Amino acid sequence: MNESTRNQAGQNPEMEMELLKIYIDEWKFRQDSLWRRITQFFVIIFFVSTLPVTVAALSEKVILPDIPKAIFPLCGIALSIFFVWFCFSEAHRIAAIDSRCKEIIKNNFPSDYQKNGLPVLKLKEETDEKGPLPIFQWRMSIWVPVFLASIEIIIAITMLILVTLKMI
């Protein structure tokens, strides 16, 4: 939104309420889309990383293409890195929409309707007012993908070790 449109919206509460509805719909869509993609990525990466082991364990009739089996776990690692990048970019978009919604609410509603921040949890011996470490301010849309990607990378490395040691 350019500056003149933003100024017009600031002077017109009805326009800001319409914008708020649009932003909230976009926020809901992005949240829903992100969580569906997280599930899909996790299943696909797990399948790709473990394909040689899964095929060897389930059936001897299924034959993989004549390519090195180490390619599958390496692809799993590459997909995990892409997965984290994708989730971070979506989380950034969601945060931008969220901050804009909060700005509109702050400008148009009394403080009773505004969401308060979470209290800062500190140990008793901490006296400085620096606040929590940035890692503790991450949203679930960042924590969950990082955790799942870490699991996927560990699985892919395990599969890579199994394949290179010819245990399958």
Side-chain angles (χ1 to χ4, degrees):
M1 177 183 328
N2 63 27
E3 193 61 37
S4 65
T5 308
R6 194 172 286 217
N7 288 339
Q8 290 172 359
Q11 296 169 359
N12 186 349
E14 292 85 23
M15 185 177 183
E16 280 206 336
M17 291 302 106
E18 287 302 315
L19 282 173
L20 183 60
K21 290 177 187 175
I22 292 169
Y23 287 140
I24 288 173
D25 286 342
E26 182 180 359
W27 184 85
K28 288 178 188 176
F29 168 76
R30 288 198 179 278
Q31 284 283 345
D32 182 52
S33 176
L34 175 65
W35 292 106
R36 275 189 279 123
R37 296 294 173 261
I38 285 173
T39 306
Q40 291 171 346
F41 268 109
F42 184 79
V43 170
I44 290 169
I45 294 169
F46 184 82
F47 179 74
V48 168
S49 296
T50 62
L51 187 63
V53 175
T54 306
V55 167
L58 292 179
S59 175
E60 293 178 7
K61 295 177 184 176
V62 178
I63 300 172
L64 291 175
D66 193 23
I67 58 175
K69 292 181 181 177
I71 294 292
F72 294 100
L74 291 173
C75 287
I77 292 170
L79 286 172
S80 295
I81 293 168
F82 173 77
F83 167 67
V84 169
W85 171 81
F86 172 79
C87 291
F88 275 18
S89 63
E90 280 301 307
H92 183 71
R93 289 180 185 96
I94 290 169
I97 295 166
D98 185 52
S99 67
R100 182 65 181 131
C101 288
K102 287 178 183 174
E103 180 183 328
I104 292 172
I105 291 170
K106 179 182 175 190
N107 293 337
N108 291 288
F109 292 99
S111 61
D112 294 345
Y113 295 106
Q114 296 176 22
K115 180 181 174 184
N116 295 329
L118 296 174
V120 176
L121 300 175
K122 293 183 180 181
L123 298 174
K124 289 182 182 179
E125 54 269 357
E126 289 182 353
T127 56
D128 62 311
E129 292 295 323
K130 288 193 288 187
L133 295 173
I135 195 168
F136 295 116
Q137 296 174 353
W138 287 4
R139 297 170 177 255
M140 290 301 289
S141 56
I142 294 177
W143 270 112
V144 172
V146 167
F147 177 72
L148 292 177
S150 300
I151 290 172
E152 293 286 5
I153 289 173
I154 290 168
I155 290 170
I157 290 171
T158 304
M159 294 300 117
L160 189 60
I161 291 168
L162 289 175
V163 167
T164 54
L165 294 177
K166 303 209 187 303
M167 295 183 136
I168 59 164

mmCIF file of all heavy atoms in Angstrom, residues 23-61:
data_model
loop_
_atom_site.group_PDB
_atom_site.id
_atom_site.type_symbol
_atom_site.label_atom_id
_atom_site.label_comp_id
_atom_site.label_asym_id
_atom_site.label_seq_id
_atom_site.Cartn_x
_atom_site.Cartn_y
_atom_site.Cartn_z
ATOM 1 N N TYR A 23 -6.880 -8.220 5.651
ATOM 2 C CA TYR A 23 -5.640 -8.703 6.256
ATOM 3 C C TYR A 23 -5.880 -9.952 7.108
ATOM 4 O O TYR A 23 -5.082 -10.884 7.088
ATOM 5 C CB TYR A 23 -4.991 -7.617 7.115
ATOM 6 C CG TYR A 23 -4.356 -6.497 6.323
ATOM 7 C CD1 TYR A 23 -4.471 -5.180 6.748
ATOM 8 C CD2 TYR A 23 -3.637 -6.742 5.160
ATOM 9 C CE1 TYR A 23 -3.883 -4.144 6.038
ATOM 10 C CE2 TYR A 23 -3.050 -5.715 4.444
ATOM 11 C CZ TYR A 23 -3.175 -4.419 4.896
ATOM 12 O OH TYR A 23 -2.592 -3.409 4.188
ATOM 13 N N ILE A 24 -6.970 -9.955 7.842
ATOM 14 C CA ILE A 24 -7.265 -11.126 8.674
ATOM 15 C C ILE A 24 -7.552 -12.338 7.804
ATOM 16 O O ILE A 24 -7.095 -13.447 8.106
ATOM 17 C CB ILE A 24 -8.425 -10.826 9.647
ATOM 18 C CG1 ILE A 24 -7.925 -9.876 10.729
ATOM 19 C CG2 ILE A 24 -8.977 -12.107 10.272
ATOM 20 C CD1 ILE A 24 -8.997 -9.360 11.664
ATOM 21 N N ASP A 25 -8.269 -12.152 6.691
ATOM 22 C CA ASP A 25 -8.505 -13.274 5.773
ATOM 23 C C ASP A 25 -7.192 -13.778 5.181
ATOM 24 O O ASP A 25 -6.984 -14.990 5.061
ATOM 25 C CB ASP A 25 -9.461 -12.856 4.648
ATOM 26 C CG ASP A 25 -10.896 -12.728 5.122
ATOM 27 O OD1 ASP A 25 -11.228 -13.268 6.203
ATOM 28 O OD2 ASP A 25 -11.689 -12.078 4.410
ATOM 29 N N GLU A 26 -6.305 -12.850 4.817
ATOM 30 C CA GLU A 26 -5.003 -13.266 4.285
ATOM 31 C C GLU A 26 -4.193 -14.000 5.358
ATOM 32 O O GLU A 26 -3.550 -15.004 5.086
ATOM 33 C CB GLU A 26 -4.213 -12.065 3.779
ATOM 34 C CG GLU A 26 -2.878 -12.469 3.176
ATOM 35 C CD GLU A 26 -2.061 -11.306 2.650
ATOM 36 O OE1 GLU A 26 -2.521 -10.149 2.726
ATOM 37 O OE2 GLU A 26 -0.940 -11.568 2.167
ATOM 38 N N TRP A 27 -4.232 -13.489 6.599
ATOM 39 C CA TRP A 27 -3.522 -14.124 7.707
ATOM 40 C C TRP A 27 -4.028 -15.552 7.911
ATOM 41 O O TRP A 27 -3.238 -16.481 8.061
ATOM 42 C CB TRP A 27 -3.705 -13.291 8.982
ATOM 43 C CG TRP A 27 -2.959 -13.796 10.157
ATOM 44 C CD1 TRP A 27 -1.663 -13.533 10.487
ATOM 45 C CD2 TRP A 27 -3.450 -14.673 11.178
ATOM 46 N NE1 TRP A 27 -1.322 -14.182 11.648
ATOM 47 C CE2 TRP A 27 -2.406 -14.888 12.089
ATOM 48 C CE3 TRP A 27 -4.663 -15.291 11.409
ATOM 49 C CZ2 TRP A 27 -2.537 -15.693 13.205
ATOM 50 C CZ3 TRP A 27 -4.807 -16.093 12.520
ATOM 51 C CH2 TRP A 27 -3.757 -16.284 13.405
ATOM 52 N N LYS A 28 -5.343 -15.741 7.897
ATOM 53 C CA LYS A 28 -5.927 -17.083 8.060
ATOM 54 C C LYS A 28 -5.490 -17.998 6.918
ATOM 55 O O LYS A 28 -5.123 -19.152 7.142
ATOM 56 C CB LYS A 28 -7.452 -17.012 8.088
ATOM 57 C CG LYS A 28 -8.034 -16.417 9.332
ATOM 58 C CD LYS A 28 -9.554 -16.353 9.196
ATOM 59 C CE LYS A 28 -10.208 -15.603 10.307
ATOM 60 N NZ LYS A 28 -11.656 -15.476 10.096
ATOM 61 N N PHE A 29 -5.533 -17.474 5.680
ATOM 62 C CA PHE A 29 -5.138 -18.277 4.525
ATOM 63 C C PHE A 29 -3.669 -18.696 4.635
ATOM 64 O O PHE A 29 -3.334 -19.860 4.421
ATOM 65 C CB PHE A 29 -5.358 -17.489 3.227
ATOM 66 C CG PHE A 29 -4.720 -18.131 2.035
ATOM 67 C CD1 PHE A 29 -5.293 -19.239 1.439
ATOM 68 C CD2 PHE A 29 -3.523 -17.647 1.524
ATOM 69 C CE1 PHE A 29 -4.691 -19.851 0.348
ATOM 70 C CE2 PHE A 29 -2.919 -18.250 0.436
ATOM 71 C CZ PHE A 29 -3.508 -19.355 -0.153
ATOM 72 N N ARG A 30 -2.796 -17.758 4.969
ATOM 73 C CA ARG A 30 -1.365 -18.069 5.068
ATOM 74 C C ARG A 30 -1.078 -19.056 6.192
ATOM 75 O O ARG A 30 -0.260 -19.954 6.037
ATOM 76 C CB ARG A 30 -0.550 -16.796 5.245
ATOM 77 C CG ARG A 30 -0.497 -15.962 3.977
ATOM 78 C CD ARG A 30 0.629 -14.958 4.013
ATOM 79 N NE ARG A 30 0.676 -14.196 2.786
ATOM 80 C CZ ARG A 30 1.247 -14.609 1.664
ATOM 81 N NH1 ARG A 30 1.809 -15.787 1.607
ATOM 82 N NH2 ARG A 30 1.264 -13.845 0.595
ATOM 83 N N GLN A 31 -1.751 -18.911 7.330
ATOM 84 C CA GLN A 31 -1.577 -19.858 8.431
ATOM 85 C C GLN A 31 -2.010 -21.264 8.000
ATOM 86 O O GLN A 31 -1.283 -22.233 8.201
ATOM 87 C CB GLN A 31 -2.403 -19.427 9.656
ATOM 88 C CG GLN A 31 -1.826 -18.283 10.418
ATOM 89 C CD GLN A 31 -0.666 -18.700 11.291
ATOM 90 O OE1 GLN A 31 -0.425 -19.862 11.565
ATOM 91 N NE2 GLN A 31 0.090 -17.722 11.736
ATOM 92 N N ASP A 32 -3.189 -21.349 7.414
ATOM 93 C CA ASP A 32 -3.704 -22.652 6.977
ATOM 94 C C ASP A 32 -2.792 -23.277 5.925
ATOM 95 O O ASP A 32 -2.441 -24.456 6.007
ATOM 96 C CB ASP A 32 -5.120 -22.471 6.427
ATOM 97 C CG ASP A 32 -5.746 -23.779 6.008
ATOM 98 O OD1 ASP A 32 -5.757 -24.724 6.831
ATOM 99 O OD2 ASP A 32 -6.231 -23.870 4.860
ATOM 100 N N SER A 33 -2.382 -22.466 4.964
ATOM 101 C CA SER A 33 -1.510 -22.949 3.899
ATOM 102 C C SER A 33 -0.161 -23.414 4.450
ATOM 103 O O SER A 33 0.348 -24.470 4.064
ATOM 104 C CB SER A 33 -1.304 -21.839 2.872
ATOM 105 O OG SER A 33 -0.397 -22.219 1.887
ATOM 106 N N LEU A 34 0.406 -22.633 5.363
ATOM 107 C CA LEU A 34 1.709 -22.993 5.940
ATOM 108 C C LEU A 34 1.636 -24.321 6.670
ATOM 109 O O LEU A 34 2.492 -25.189 6.468
ATOM 110 C CB LEU A 34 2.191 -21.901 6.898
ATOM 111 C CG LEU A 34 3.488 -22.223 7.653
ATOM 112 C CD1 LEU A 34 4.666 -22.325 6.690
ATOM 113 C CD2 LEU A 34 3.760 -21.187 8.722
ATOM 114 N N TRP A 35 0.629 -24.532 7.506
ATOM 115 C CA TRP A 35 0.558 -25.770 8.286
ATOM 116 C C TRP A 35 0.275 -26.979 7.403
ATOM 117 O O TRP A 35 0.760 -28.076 7.663
ATOM 118 C CB TRP A 35 -0.440 -25.630 9.432
ATOM 119 C CG TRP A 35 0.095 -24.658 10.434
ATOM 120 C CD1 TRP A 35 -0.322 -23.382 10.642
ATOM 121 C CD2 TRP A 35 1.215 -24.845 11.301
ATOM 122 N NE1 TRP A 35 0.448 -22.763 11.589
ATOM 123 C CE2 TRP A 35 1.402 -23.636 12.021
ATOM 124 C CE3 TRP A 35 2.083 -25.900 11.551
ATOM 125 C CZ2 TRP A 35 2.405 -23.479 12.968
ATOM 126 C CZ3 TRP A 35 3.075 -25.727 12.499
ATOM 127 C CH2 TRP A 35 3.233 -24.537 13.189
ATOM 128 N N ARG A 36 -0.494 -26.796 6.323
ATOM 129 C CA ARG A 36 -0.679 -27.903 5.376
ATOM 130 C C ARG A 36 0.633 -28.240 4.685
ATOM 131 O O ARG A 36 0.981 -29.405 4.511
ATOM 132 C CB ARG A 36 -1.743 -27.559 4.335
ATOM 133 C CG ARG A 36 -3.144 -27.870 4.811
ATOM 134 C CD ARG A 36 -4.183 -27.735 3.713
ATOM 135 N NE ARG A 36 -4.506 -26.309 3.577
ATOM 136 C CZ ARG A 36 -4.398 -25.614 2.448
ATOM 137 N NH1 ARG A 36 -4.005 -26.184 1.344
ATOM 138 N NH2 ARG A 36 -4.691 -24.337 2.402
ATOM 139 N N ARG A 37 1.380 -27.206 4.268
ATOM 140 C CA ARG A 37 2.671 -27.424 3.604
ATOM 141 C C ARG A 37 3.678 -28.075 4.544
ATOM 142 O O ARG A 37 4.481 -28.905 4.123
ATOM 143 C CB ARG A 37 3.252 -26.107 3.082
ATOM 144 C CG ARG A 37 2.447 -25.445 2.019
ATOM 145 C CD ARG A 37 2.393 -26.252 0.728
ATOM 146 N NE ARG A 37 1.479 -25.636 -0.193
ATOM 147 C CZ ARG A 37 0.223 -26.013 -0.396
ATOM 148 N NH1 ARG A 37 -0.267 -27.022 0.272
ATOM 149 N NH2 ARG A 37 -0.541 -25.420 -1.272
ATOM 150 N N ILE A 38 3.656 -27.708 5.809
ATOM 151 C CA ILE A 38 4.580 -28.319 6.776
ATOM 152 C C ILE A 38 4.343 -29.822 6.833
ATOM 153 O O ILE A 38 5.287 -30.619 6.773
ATOM 154 C CB ILE A 38 4.427 -27.668 8.176
ATOM 155 C CG1 ILE A 38 5.070 -26.290 8.168
ATOM 156 C CG2 ILE A 38 5.044 -28.533 9.258
ATOM 157 C CD1 ILE A 38 4.845 -25.490 9.438
ATOM 158 N N THR A 39 3.088 -30.227 6.911
ATOM 159 C CA THR A 39 2.753 -31.655 6.943
ATOM 160 C C THR A 39 3.179 -32.343 5.657
ATOM 161 O O THR A 39 3.800 -33.412 5.686
ATOM 162 C CB THR A 39 1.239 -31.842 7.169
ATOM 163 O OG1 THR A 39 0.854 -31.135 8.343
ATOM 164 C CG2 THR A 39 0.879 -33.300 7.299
ATOM 165 N N GLN A 40 2.873 -31.739 4.523
ATOM 166 C CA GLN A 40 3.224 -32.335 3.235
ATOM 167 C C GLN A 40 4.740 -32.462 3.076
ATOM 168 O O GLN A 40 5.242 -33.517 2.667
ATOM 169 C CB GLN A 40 2.648 -31.504 2.090
ATOM 170 C CG GLN A 40 1.141 -31.573 1.996
ATOM 171 C CD GLN A 40 0.583 -30.567 0.997
ATOM 172 O OE1 GLN A 40 1.271 -29.650 0.556
ATOM 173 N NE2 GLN A 40 -0.689 -30.746 0.648
ATOM 174 N N PHE A 41 5.452 -31.393 3.363
ATOM 175 C CA PHE A 41 6.911 -31.436 3.248
ATOM 176 C C PHE A 41 7.502 -32.517 4.135
ATOM 177 O O PHE A 41 8.390 -33.251 3.716
ATOM 178 C CB PHE A 41 7.534 -30.079 3.632
ATOM 179 C CG PHE A 41 7.745 -29.144 2.484
ATOM 180 C CD1 PHE A 41 6.963 -28.010 2.353
ATOM 181 C CD2 PHE A 41 8.744 -29.368 1.568
ATOM 182 C CE1 PHE A 41 7.168 -27.128 1.308
ATOM 183 C CE2 PHE A 41 8.970 -28.500 0.524
ATOM 184 C CZ PHE A 41 8.165 -27.366 0.388
ATOM 185 N N PHE A 42 7.038 -32.606 5.374
ATOM 186 C CA PHE A 42 7.595 -33.587 6.303
ATOM 187 C C PHE A 42 7.425 -35.004 5.753
ATOM 188 O O PHE A 42 8.375 -35.797 5.748
ATOM 189 C CB PHE A 42 6.943 -33.464 7.687
ATOM 190 C CG PHE A 42 7.557 -34.382 8.704
ATOM 191 C CD1 PHE A 42 8.753 -34.056 9.304
ATOM 192 C CD2 PHE A 42 6.954 -35.576 9.050
ATOM 193 C CE1 PHE A 42 9.342 -34.894 10.239
ATOM 194 C CE2 PHE A 42 7.524 -36.425 9.980
ATOM 195 C CZ PHE A 42 8.724 -36.088 10.582
ATOM 196 N N VAL A 43 6.235 -35.324 5.273
ATOM 197 C CA VAL A 43 5.972 -36.671 4.757
ATOM 198 C C VAL A 43 6.812 -36.939 3.502
ATOM 199 O O VAL A 43 7.417 -38.004 3.371
ATOM 200 C CB VAL A 43 4.464 -36.851 4.467
ATOM 201 C CG1 VAL A 43 4.192 -38.139 3.710
ATOM 202 C CG2 VAL A 43 3.671 -36.815 5.770
ATOM 203 N N ILE A 44 6.868 -35.985 2.597
ATOM 204 C CA ILE A 44 7.626 -36.172 1.351
ATOM 205 C C ILE A 44 9.119 -36.331 1.632
ATOM 206 O O ILE A 44 9.773 -37.229 1.087
ATOM 207 C CB ILE A 44 7.362 -35.006 0.375
ATOM 208 C CG1 ILE A 44 5.926 -35.093 -0.151
ATOM 209 C CG2 ILE A 44 8.363 -34.995 -0.761
ATOM 210 C CD1 ILE A 44 5.477 -33.865 -0.909
ATOM 211 N N ILE A 45 9.669 -35.472 2.485
ATOM 212 C CA ILE A 45 11.101 -35.549 2.796
ATOM 213 C C ILE A 45 11.433 -36.869 3.490
ATOM 214 O O ILE A 45 12.438 -37.511 3.188
ATOM 215 C CB ILE A 45 11.548 -34.341 3.649
ATOM 216 C CG1 ILE A 45 11.426 -33.055 2.834
ATOM 217 C CG2 ILE A 45 12.974 -34.518 4.138
ATOM 218 C CD1 ILE A 45 11.577 -31.792 3.650
ATOM 219 N N PHE A 46 10.572 -37.286 4.411
ATOM 220 C CA PHE A 46 10.782 -38.565 5.093
ATOM 221 C C PHE A 46 10.773 -39.710 4.082
ATOM 222 O O PHE A 46 11.634 -40.584 4.111
ATOM 223 C CB PHE A 46 9.702 -38.785 6.159
ATOM 224 C CG PHE A 46 9.902 -40.033 6.954
ATOM 225 C CD1 PHE A 46 10.785 -40.047 8.025
ATOM 226 C CD2 PHE A 46 9.225 -41.197 6.634
ATOM 227 C CE1 PHE A 46 10.989 -41.204 8.760
ATOM 228 C CE2 PHE A 46 9.422 -42.365 7.355
ATOM 229 C CZ PHE A 46 10.302 -42.364 8.425
ATOM 230 N N PHE A 47 9.803 -39.699 3.154
ATOM 231 C CA PHE A 47 9.700 -40.749 2.146
ATOM 232 C C PHE A 47 10.933 -40.768 1.243
ATOM 233 O O PHE A 47 11.499 -41.837 0.985
ATOM 234 C CB PHE A 47 8.431 -40.552 1.309
ATOM 235 C CG PHE A 47 8.256 -41.580 0.239
ATOM 236 C CD1 PHE A 47 7.875 -42.874 0.549
ATOM 237 C CD2 PHE A 47 8.489 -41.261 -1.087
ATOM 238 C CE1 PHE A 47 7.721 -43.830 -0.440
ATOM 239 C CE2 PHE A 47 8.341 -42.198 -2.085
ATOM 240 C CZ PHE A 47 7.954 -43.495 -1.762
ATOM 241 N N VAL A 48 11.359 -39.594 0.775
ATOM 242 C CA VAL A 48 12.523 -39.527 -0.116
ATOM 243 C C VAL A 48 13.784 -40.001 0.608
ATOM 244 O O VAL A 48 14.571 -40.770 0.058
ATOM 245 C CB VAL A 48 12.712 -38.093 -0.662
ATOM 246 C CG1 VAL A 48 14.062 -37.917 -1.338
ATOM 247 C CG2 VAL A 48 11.599 -37.749 -1.633
ATOM 248 N N SER A 49 13.966 -39.562 1.845
ATOM 249 C CA SER A 49 15.185 -39.917 2.590
ATOM 250 C C SER A 49 15.279 -41.403 2.896
ATOM 251 O O SER A 49 16.369 -41.967 2.919
ATOM 252 C CB SER A 49 15.244 -39.139 3.912
ATOM 253 O OG SER A 49 15.347 -37.773 3.672
ATOM 254 N N THR A 50 14.150 -42.027 3.156
ATOM 255 C CA THR A 50 14.153 -43.433 3.584
ATOM 256 C C THR A 50 13.769 -44.405 2.476
ATOM 257 O O THR A 50 13.639 -45.599 2.744
ATOM 258 C CB THR A 50 13.197 -43.629 4.777
ATOM 259 O OG1 THR A 50 11.872 -43.308 4.359
ATOM 260 C CG2 THR A 50 13.596 -42.788 5.954
ATOM 261 N N LEU A 51 13.626 -43.942 1.262
ATOM 262 C CA LEU A 51 13.160 -44.811 0.173
ATOM 263 C C LEU A 51 14.013 -46.069 -0.021
ATOM 264 O O LEU A 51 13.447 -47.173 -0.082
ATOM 265 C CB LEU A 51 13.055 -44.029 -1.138
ATOM 266 C CG LEU A 51 12.415 -44.783 -2.296
ATOM 267 C CD1 LEU A 51 10.966 -45.121 -1.971
ATOM 268 C CD2 LEU A 51 12.491 -43.977 -3.568
ATOM 269 N N PRO A 52 15.328 -45.997 -0.081
ATOM 270 C CA PRO A 52 16.101 -47.234 -0.277
ATOM 271 C C PRO A 52 15.905 -48.249 0.853
ATOM 272 O O PRO A 52 15.781 -49.449 0.610
ATOM 273 C CB PRO A 52 17.556 -46.761 -0.322
ATOM 274 C CG PRO A 52 17.508 -45.338 -0.649
ATOM 275 C CD PRO A 52 16.206 -44.829 -0.084
ATOM 276 N N VAL A 53 15.857 -47.766 2.085
ATOM 277 C CA VAL A 53 15.673 -48.662 3.230
ATOM 278 C C VAL A 53 14.263 -49.240 3.230
ATOM 279 O O VAL A 53 14.071 -50.433 3.483
ATOM 280 C CB VAL A 53 15.957 -47.902 4.553
ATOM 281 C CG1 VAL A 53 15.660 -48.769 5.750
ATOM 282 C CG2 VAL A 53 17.389 -47.421 4.577
ATOM 283 N N THR A 54 13.293 -48.397 2.939
ATOM 284 C CA THR A 54 11.897 -48.846 2.916
ATOM 285 C C THR A 54 11.678 -49.898 1.838
ATOM 286 O O THR A 54 11.037 -50.923 2.086
ATOM 287 C CB THR A 54 10.955 -47.652 2.677
ATOM 288 O OG1 THR A 54 11.230 -46.644 3.634
ATOM 289 C CG2 THR A 54 9.512 -48.051 2.766
ATOM 290 N N VAL A 55 12.200 -49.660 0.658
ATOM 291 C CA VAL A 55 12.037 -50.617 -0.444
ATOM 292 C C VAL A 55 12.726 -51.932 -0.107
ATOM 293 O O VAL A 55 12.172 -53.019 -0.331
ATOM 294 C CB VAL A 55 12.582 -50.018 -1.766
ATOM 295 C CG1 VAL A 55 12.713 -51.075 -2.841
ATOM 296 C CG2 VAL A 55 11.671 -48.897 -2.224
ATOM 297 N N ALA A 56 13.921 -51.861 0.456
ATOM 298 C CA ALA A 56 14.656 -53.082 0.809
ATOM 299 C C ALA A 56 13.925 -53.868 1.896
ATOM 300 O O ALA A 56 13.926 -55.100 1.882
ATOM 301 C CB ALA A 56 16.065 -52.731 1.281
ATOM 302 N N ALA A 57 13.286 -53.190 2.815
ATOM 303 C CA ALA A 57 12.612 -53.874 3.920
ATOM 304 C C ALA A 57 11.257 -54.439 3.510
ATOM 305 O O ALA A 57 10.845 -55.490 4.006
ATOM 306 C CB ALA A 57 12.431 -52.914 5.089
ATOM 307 N N LEU A 58 10.569 -53.772 2.603
ATOM 308 C CA LEU A 58 9.208 -54.184 2.267
ATOM 309 C C LEU A 58 9.140 -55.258 1.187
ATOM 310 O O LEU A 58 8.340 -56.177 1.276
ATOM 311 C CB LEU A 58 8.377 -52.976 1.825
ATOM 312 C CG LEU A 58 8.078 -51.948 2.917
ATOM 313 C CD1 LEU A 58 7.276 -50.800 2.334
ATOM 314 C CD2 LEU A 58 7.311 -52.596 4.057
ATOM 315 N N SER A 59 9.965 -55.117 0.191
ATOM 316 C CA SER A 59 9.834 -56.056 -0.918
ATOM 317 C C SER A 59 11.129 -56.141 -1.713
ATOM 318 O O SER A 59 11.785 -55.133 -1.942
ATOM 319 C CB SER A 59 8.698 -55.596 -1.840
ATOM 320 O OG SER A 59 8.632 -56.418 -2.975
ATOM 321 N N GLU A 60 11.434 -57.332 -2.110
ATOM 322 C CA GLU A 60 12.597 -57.517 -2.980
ATOM 323 C C GLU A 60 12.188 -57.425 -4.441
ATOM 324 O O GLU A 60 13.031 -57.374 -5.322
ATOM 325 C CB GLU A 60 13.245 -58.865 -2.697
ATOM 326 C CG GLU A 60 13.860 -58.926 -1.320
ATOM 327 C CD GLU A 60 14.459 -60.291 -1.031
ATOM 328 O OE1 GLU A 60 14.520 -61.149 -1.931
ATOM 329 O OE2 GLU A 60 14.876 -60.487 0.127
ATOM 330 N N LYS A 61 10.866 -57.386 -4.696
ATOM 331 C CA LYS A 61 10.377 -57.306 -6.066
ATOM 332 C C LYS A 61 10.479 -55.894 -6.634
ATOM 333 O O LYS A 61 10.558 -55.718 -7.830
ATOM 334 C CB LYS A 61 8.923 -57.767 -6.130
ATOM 335 C CG LYS A 61 8.752 -59.231 -5.773
ATOM 336 C CD LYS A 61 7.304 -59.615 -5.786
ATOM 337 C CE LYS A 61 7.145 -61.061 -5.333
ATOM 338 N NZ LYS A 61 5.757 -61.468 -5.238
#
